[in-house]
Amino acid sequence: MYAIVNIKDKQFKIVENEYIYVPHICKNIGEQILLNQVFLFCKQGKLILGNPFIEKINVKIEILQHIKGKKIIIFKKKRRKGYKVKNGFRPLFSKIRIISFLFK
C-alpha cells in the first residue's frame, strides 16, 4: 500500500510506517499533520487516481526532526573578466514518519 502525495510542491512516494526527508515544514517536532493532496493511491494492486487530488484519502504524518542537508556550492565565473564568486548554503529538511492512510 503506497501513495503519491504533494508536500511543499514536490511529489513523494510514501509507504505506511516509513521515514522520508522532505523540504522543511514549519511545524514543531512531534506534531502530527494531515496531508490532503494525494495524487495516487495503490492498495493490493488497485490504483485510484485523482483529478488532480483524491478527496476521500488523507495521510497522517508526524514530524520527527529538522536537519540541514549537505552543503551546495554555487560558483559563478565570467571568463576573461576577473569575476569569480563562490557561495554556498545548506538546505533545511524535515524527517517525517508516515503514520497511516485515513479514508473518509
Side-chain angles (χ1 to χ4, degrees):
M1 183 167 41
Y2 67 90
I4 307 286
V5 297
N6 183 24
I7 302 173
K8 299 277 259 188
D9 295 329
K10 295 190 181 195
Q11 296 177 13
F12 294 93
K13 179 182 177 182
I14 60 173
V15 180
E16 212 169 38
N17 295 323
E18 286 197 1
Y19 305 100
I20 60 169
Y21 293 93
V22 297
H24 183 72
I25 298 173
C26 297
K27 300 285 184 182
N28 294 327
I29 295 174
E31 201 167 326
Q32 295 183 353
I33 304 170
L34 279 178
L35 301 176
N36 59 359
Q37 295 184 341
V38 179
F39 293 115
L40 178 138
F41 184 74
C42 180
K43 183 177 183 178
Q44 299 169 350
K46 293 185 179 181
L47 285 176
I48 301 171
L49 286 172
N51 187 13
F53 304 118
I54 302 171
E55 297 175 2
K56 299 177 184 176
I57 300 172
N58 288 337
V59 180
K60 190 174 188 180
I61 64 169
E62 179 184 9
I63 297 176
L64 299 176
Q65 71 182 105
H66 300 298
I67 59 170
K68 284 186 174 182
K70 292 185 177 179
K71 183 174 266 193
I72 296 173
I73 304 295
I74 294 101
F75 184 73
K76 298 178 183 178
K77 180 181 178 182
K78 294 186 180 177
R79 61 183 203 173
R80 297 188 297 269
K81 305 293 184 222
Y83 173 77
K84 289 191 281 187
V85 175
K86 182 179 177 183
N87 285 318
F89 71 98
R90 293 179 67 187
L92 297 173
F93 293 104
S94 295
K95 182 180 181 181
I96 63 169
R97 179 172 67 95
I98 292 82
I99 298 172
S100 64
F101 297 109
L102 304 173
F103 303 97
K104 293 181 183 176

